Every structure is written in C-alpha cells, then in structure tokens.
Amino acid sequence: DAGVIQSPRHEVTEMGQEVTLRCKLISGHNSLFWYRQTMMRGLELLIYFNNNVPIDDSGMPEDRFSAKMPNASFSTLKIQPSEPRDSAVYFCASSLWEGYGYTFGSGTRLTVV
Amino acid sequence: KQEVTQIPAALSVPEGENLVLNCSFTDSAIYNLQWFRQDPGKGLTSLLLIQSSQREQTSGRLNASLDKSSGRSTLYIAASQPGDSATYLCAVRVNNDMRFGAGTRLTV
C-alpha cells in the first residue's frame, strides 16, 4: 500500500484565491482526519470523517474552510477565499477503527501571500 | 476535553546517552496512545502504538510505557544517536479523535 497520499506537496497562492487540498486514504481505512500544523499552535484537528460522514468539524476555523469526502477513499479540504493566516502545513491521516493508530500523509505546505 | 502535555519542550543530550521523554494526559478513558517522530519539514512517522490494555511496547532501541490510571506515558530511547534528533510527539485517542501534545524537540 502506498500509504496516505496528499497533493499537492507545496502550494503558493495569492490572498483571496481558492485552494483545494487533496487526500487519498489507505485502502480499507474508514476514518479520515484533517490537521493543521503551525509553529504557534502545533497540530490542530480541523475535522474528521467516519465512513464518509463528517463527525466533528468543530476545529474548522471559519466558514471559509470546507471539507468533503465524496467516496470512501478520497477527501478534499477547500479554503475559499484564502488568507495569509491560513499559511500552515495541512496533514491528513487515516485509521481503521478506534483501536488502530493513525497513518499520516506527508502534508501540504500552504503559503498564502 | 482531553489535554496532552509533553515535558520538556526541548532536550539536548550527548551521543550514547539513554533518555526519557514524558507525556501526560488528563482523561484516562483512552483507546490508545501513539508516539510519533517528526523531522523538520516532514510528516509524522509512527514509532509505537500502545493499546489502553497494554503497559508497554518495544521497537529496537525504543520502549514506550503507559500508565493509564495516572495519565502518563514515557518514551525511552537507549544509546541515543545523532539520527535520533527530531521532534517527538505523543497523541492519545479518545473515541474517534486523537489529541496531540506540543512535542519534545530532541537534539543528540
């Protein structure tokens, strides 16, 4: 298995533009988590899905952020419009069930200028 | 809400020394605890996973312990090497959610 795959690895965009981050889960995993990492705040959970259903999105900072899971193996995180303070590394992780550990993707480094 | 604390925030040791990293959590009702390693500019690599019913896990020079009742875990690294330099994060899983500590930055 190729693991959790995120794309793009790096994204530089101008303020106000729409940004879409993508994540492919490990085959067979049924839980998907989006995290944001910054120097100031560390790793923050944004949203997680279980069996394609969003369970908790209380970590999503604003309405500018939205996440979808159109099928069991793929998810997107969209920021519209993007702002400089959204600059961070965004990770997704997948897991099989509560007793399993997490497997992280390599992250997307987002820079909004 | 589950709070995860890691002490110290940074640690510098000479090569060859044994060391212990600490992790504490406030809610003992956890499914498991996982230790990760993160190199600068990289993603998180899982090191050890301890289920709530277990007391410890070992992998090579690494040993992680879990004391659920006291809300503590330790990661023991034996005979440290320069390649061990990284940030080490612990995370606890409660329900279908995982909460992370801020990490300990280790320099060997």
Side-chain angles (χ1 to χ4, degrees):
Chain A
D1 198 316
V4 177
I5 300 173
Q6 290 188 247
S7 64
R9 291 295 306 273
H10 302 275
E11 176 81 29
V12 180
T13 190
E14 291 184 347
M15 183 173 62
Q17 295 297 307
E18 178 180 295
V19 176
T20 300
L21 311 181
R22 298 173 176 80
C23 176
K24 183 176 185 300
L25 285 71
I26 290 176
S27 177
H29 282 193
N30 63 354
S31 297
L32 181 281
F33 308 82
W34 281 102
Y35 284 87
R36 177 171 69 176
Q37 187 177 40
T38 60
M39 289 291 292
M40 291 296 295
R41 300 173 68 92
L43 268 165
E44 302 174 277
L45 177 66
L46 301 177
I47 185 172
Y48 71 88
F49 295 82
N50 195 35
N51 294 320
N52 304 1
V53 177
I55 303 300
D56 185 353
D57 64 355
S58 60
M60 298 284 262
E62 299 170 34
D63 291 344
R64 299 183 296 107
F65 286 68
S66 63
K68 293 182 179 179
M69 198 165 175
N71 58 55
S73 61
F74 184 72
S75 177
T76 59
L77 178 67
K78 185 176 293 187
I79 308 173
Q80 166 63 24
S82 57
E83 296 181 3
R85 60 194 168 115
D86 302 331
S87 297
V89 180
Y90 291 80
F91 290 102
C92 72
S94 73
S95 179
L96 181 55
W97 55 280
E98 292 84 355
Y100 252 61
Y102 280 29
T103 301
F104 276 77
S106 298
T108 294
R109 182 175 296 276
L110 173 65
T111 304
V112 183
V113 298
Chain B
K1 182 180 175 180
Q2 180 74 267
E3 299 287 339
V4 183
T5 304
Q6 290 187 247
I7 295 174
L11 180 65
S12 181
V13 300
E15 182 177 357
E17 188 164 300
N18 302 327
L19 61 101
V20 174
L21 306 180
N22 297 293
C23 173
S24 61
F25 48 95
T26 54
D27 185 349
S28 62
I30 64 171
Y31 279 110
N32 56 49
L33 183 145
Q34 197 166 359
W35 282 94
F36 293 88
R37 167 187 173 138
Q38 186 174 29
D39 293 285
K42 303 292 185 181
L44 280 73
T45 300
S46 179
L47 298 174
L48 290 165
L49 172 69
I50 311 177
Q51 301 294 345
S52 62
S53 59
Q54 297 174 324
R55 298 283 293 185
E56 66 177 344
Q57 283 287 331
T58 298
S59 176
R61 295 184 293 110
L62 305 180
N63 176 277
S65 69
L66 174 63
D67 184 342
K68 219 172 58 162
S69 60
S70 67
R72 293 181 182 179
S73 176
T74 62
L75 178 66
Y76 173 83
I77 302 177
S80 58
Q81 302 170 357
D84 295 330
S85 298
T87 296
Y88 292 80
L89 299 118
C90 75
V92 296
R93 189 160 189 179
V94 180
N95 296 322
N96 207 19
D97 183 9
M98 183 167 269
R99 300 287 170 171
F100 283 82
T104 294
R105 183 181 302 161
L106 173 65
T107 303
V108 181

